[in-house]
């Protein structure tokens, strides 16, 4: 079922089918988080709107086993500087954020590691999960606070869109991130008008950043990180 679900990632399958000749790029098995399925996702020179649309379509179309996580591994075609040979490599966290036109502050980008994990966790829906190692906690935290103003808009439609403004005492104001505690960890969360969390981030350690949508994903991610002794 997991295999069938992974094959149902429509956007990924469409991109892979367009890469004729060299076949599907190989994705290293090592990952920040264990996933039942890994699907390569070539980003190349594709327009950011197309990338986000395909990932959003994949999120909706995927029919995965409840509780399963599918890793979507963005890849880039590159040229070896020494031999001149073409090869395919995993995109860095900066390249991935740039590919979706995320306006993350430079301070944040410089404080993140190159490796990252992106995928979908199947709970009541297919919920996106992004995990990135942190090289400087202080700069990463400050960068995330700065990014809050545009984070939801930057990640939409991969993540659920939340109106930028909210009403309080009859007046419109910027929708804030709230300080919460989830599984004994501090979390900054963005809620919709119904009070449901639609986007949140947390630093479970000073070396790791988690950005996700479903609170259920946080519990599962923490469990898998502990199992792999990454937490």
């Amino acid at each position: 079922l997991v295999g069938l679900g992974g094959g149902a990632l429509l956007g990924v399958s469409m991109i892979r089918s367009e890469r004729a000749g060299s076949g599907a790029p190989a994705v290293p098995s090592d990952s920040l988080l264990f996933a039942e399925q890994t699907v390569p996702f070539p980003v190349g020179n594709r327009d950011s709107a197309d990338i986000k649309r395909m990932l959003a379509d994949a999120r909706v179309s995927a029919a995965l086993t409840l509780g399963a996580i599918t890793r979507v591994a963005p890849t880039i075609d590159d040229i070896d500087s020494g031999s001149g040979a073409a090869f395919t490599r995993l995109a860095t966290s900066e390249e991935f954020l740039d590919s979706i036109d995320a306006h993350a502050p430079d301070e944040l980008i410089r404080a993140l590691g190159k490796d990252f994990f992106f995928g979908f966790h199947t709970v009541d829906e297919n919920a996106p999960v992004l995990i990135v190692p942190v090289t400087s906690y202080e700069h990463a935290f400050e960068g995330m606070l700065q990014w809050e103003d545009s984070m939801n808009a930057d990640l939409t439609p991969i993540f659920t869109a939340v109106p930028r403004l909210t009403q309080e005492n009859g007046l419109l104001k910027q929708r804030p991130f709230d300080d919460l505690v989830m599984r004994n960890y501090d979390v900054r969360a963005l809620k919709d008008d119904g009070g449901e969390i639609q986007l949140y981030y947390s630093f479970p350690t000073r070396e790791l950043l988690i950005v996700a949508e479903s609170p259920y994903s946080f519990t599962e991610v923490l469990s898998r990180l502990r199992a792999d002794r990454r937490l």
Side-chain angles (χ1 to χ4, degrees), residues 9 15 38 42 50 54 66 68 75 88 95 102 111 115 124 133 135 137 143 169 175 183 188 206 210 215-216:
L9 285 171
I15 295 177
T38 297
D50 286 341
M54 285 185 162
L66 184 65
T75 62
T88 300
E95 289 169 336
D115 295 335
D124 51 342
T135 58
Y137 169 75
N169 298 323
R175 187 181 302 271
R183 310 299 295 182
R188 295 278 293 170
R206 295 173 66 88
I210 298 174
Y216 297 112

Side-chain angles (χ1 to χ4, degrees), residues 148-162:
E148 286 183 358
D149 288 344
S150 66
M151 189 189 308
N152 182 252
D154 288 347
L155 297 178
T156 300
I158 306 170
F159 283 68
T160 298
V162 179

